[in-house]
Amino acid sequence: MAPDVLSRRTILFVNIAHALDHFVLLIYPTAVLAMAPELGLTYAALIGLSTGTFVAFGLFSLPMGWLAERWGRRTLLAAFFGGCGLSLLGLAAASAPVVIAGWLLVLGLFSAIYHPIGSAMLVSHARRLGRDLGWNGVWGNLGAGLASGVTALIAAWLGWRAAFVVPGLVCLAAGAAFLALVPMDGEGHGAAKGGAPTIPVARPLLLLAIFGVAIVAGGMTFNVTTIALPKVLDERLGLALPLALTGSLATLVFVFGALTQLLMGRLVDRFALPVVFAGLALLQPVGLGLAAASTGLPLLVGLILAMAAIYGQVVVNDAMVARYVPPRLRAKAFSVRYFLGFTTSGLAVPLIALLHGWGGFQAVLGVSALFGGLVSACAAGFFLATLARHACSPMEVTSSETR
């Protein structure tokens, strides 16, 4: 297969996998609204069953970079499609809480494959780093956004079990197509190898520590906001909307995040990453703080700002790994990056349950705003650390053509 054809097909299936990864993880938080009355359990009890999903999502991302060296990235991405599909079918057949929790744990394990493996594959085949990362982010964000609306519509028309069956079959079909159309891992066309040139740093440990804290705090805002969003709109918007409209409105909020990721992709190709990082991070505490302090339309505006910043940050974080880490270490670096973000943020589910019981979603969003403030502080620290040693030099602010 010609390298450019391999690259186009690989990037297409990596994007599809990104959409499905976020979609399958956010089916349950919306389906819970329909499951609770039928199973006779409270929202808090049911949402707590998904704790294992998000812990496994982060925990099992760590070994994926090492497993890719042994089994190959193509094999692991195929396992992602098949494992997620089978897990969703298992959830559709479950009724007992322990069985639901078990299948959710398995879903978290297989969904952990995508980010370290898919990100490494994308960077290897990308022609323009920022643009391709931006579009990849759009696919993921649309998957997350559609999850609420599609799940709500299917659950309202066909029941909550069908809301798991339909995407499960889609995952299995996508996996079969991937195996048929992408015959090898490969590195793609020559221009894609290694992507953009690696930026050398004099104090890597300091920058790594700052970036690590930002990833952990950003993981908390990401998971708390995306998991709680349908219920936040249900309780605090003040419109008493039916389930289908609540899910559709949540999808609309996610769409703004997708648009921000396209913008971030363009900015990454044109400006120094520390500058983009610092500017974007300011929106997280502002948006989450506004949402915590308001209801109705101001709440919706705050959530849109927060979601745009949270999903835009994903593009920036992946670009930073791609630009600061040598090609031979990127798969492992992505594994560590997502392990830090997703494992720690696995605490988001019990945190939502605890804070919601204590002070409602005002407390949930208020604490999320504090985590957003920490991300902003880390971004400012990263910018100052690079500025102090002239890291934001013409060498880094390369043109889109050289990338």
Side-chain angles (χ1 to χ4, degrees):
M1 179 179 291
D4 60 334
V5 175
L6 176 64
S7 291
R8 287 197 300 269
R9 290 186 181 181
T10 300
I11 290 175
L12 173 61
F13 279 100
V14 166
N15 288 340
I16 291 172
H18 196 192
L20 288 174
D21 195 40
H22 286 286
F23 188 101
V24 301
L25 284 172
L26 293 177
I27 294 171
Y28 186 76
T30 299
V32 158
L33 302 180
M35 294 168 67
E38 180 177 328
L39 298 179
L41 297 171
T42 65
Y43 170 80
L46 278 173
I47 199 66
L49 297 178
S50 64
T51 300
T53 310
F54 297 98
V55 172
F57 186 50
L59 184 63
F60 287 99
S61 66
L62 182 60
M64 293 305 166
W66 285 264
L67 290 177
E69 294 181 351
R70 184 178 182 88
W71 294 339
R73 296 176 302 184
R74 176 177 176 269
T75 301
L76 287 176
L77 196 62
F80 158 80
F81 285 118
C84 287
L86 293 175
S87 300
L88 292 173
L89 295 181
L91 276 167
S95 295
V98 65
V99 178
I100 294 172
W103 279 115
L104 286 169
L105 178 64
V106 175
L107 178 64
L109 189 157
F110 282 103
S111 63
I113 295 173
Y114 170 74
H115 280 91
I117 301 306
S119 298
M121 293 175 75
L122 178 71
V123 169
S124 295
H125 289 269
R127 286 189 180 274
R128 290 178 59 187
L129 180 65
R131 180 199 63 185
D132 290 336
L133 283 174
W135 276 108
N136 178 256
V138 168
W139 281 76
N141 197 23
L142 288 177
L146 289 172
S148 296
V150 171
T151 300
L153 289 173
I154 295 177
W157 293 343
L158 302 175
W160 64 265
R161 296 184 190 278
F164 292 108
V165 170
V166 173
L169 295 176
V170 171
C171 286
L172 294 177
F178 171 68
L179 288 173
L181 297 175
V182 182
M184 65 187 80
D185 281 346
E187 289 296 335
H189 42 70
K193 275 195 174 182
T198 303
I199 301 172
V201 293
R203 294 183 289 177
L205 293 181
L206 174 61
L207 295 180
L208 181 63
I210 295 173
F211 188 50
V213 174
I215 288 173
V216 171
M220 290 299 295
T221 60
F222 180 95
N223 275 274
V224 169
T225 307
T226 54
I227 293 169
L229 182 62
K231 189 64 174 176
V232 170
L233 294 174
D234 184 48
E235 282 194 10
R236 293 178 60 82
L237 197 57
L239 297 179
L241 298 175
L243 174 60
L245 287 180
T246 299
S248 299
L249 190 57
T251 294
L252 180 63
V253 173
F254 282 115
V255 166
F256 282 91
L259 297 176
T260 304
Q261 289 183 317
L262 280 179
L263 173 62
M264 287 303 107
R266 292 183 176 274
L267 294 179
V268 163
D269 280 335
R270 287 167 172 78
F271 298 99
L273 279 172
V275 175
V276 179
F277 184 20
L280 179 65
L282 287 173
L283 290 179
Q284 285 202 37
V286 172
L288 290 168
L290 175 60
S294 60
T295 58
L297 183 59
L299 166 77
L300 189 60
V301 172
L303 289 173
I304 288 172
L305 286 176
M307 198 61 63
I310 288 168
Y311 276 92
Q313 192 66 55
V314 174
V315 175
V316 175
N317 289 348
D318 285 347
M320 292 179 77
V321 173
R323 297 285 279 119
Y324 285 96
V325 178
R328 62 185 178 84
L329 297 176
R330 282 178 186 156
K332 294 177 180 177
F334 278 118
S335 291
V336 174
R337 171 252 196 276
Y338 286 107
F339 169 76
L340 287 176
F342 292 149
T343 299
T344 305
S345 64
L347 298 173
V349 174
L351 183 64
I352 290 171
L354 177 64
L355 293 174
H356 184 265
W358 172 60
F361 278 114
Q362 184 175 17
V364 173
L365 294 170
V367 171
S368 298
L370 295 179
F371 281 111
L374 183 56
V375 173
S376 185
C378 288
F382 195 98
F383 172 76
L384 293 174
T386 54
L387 186 66
R389 62 173 304 273
H390 308 290
C392 296
S393 64
M395 165 187 168
E396 181 178 351
V397 189
T398 55
S399 67
S400 60
E401 288 76 20
T402 60
R403 296 192 181 195

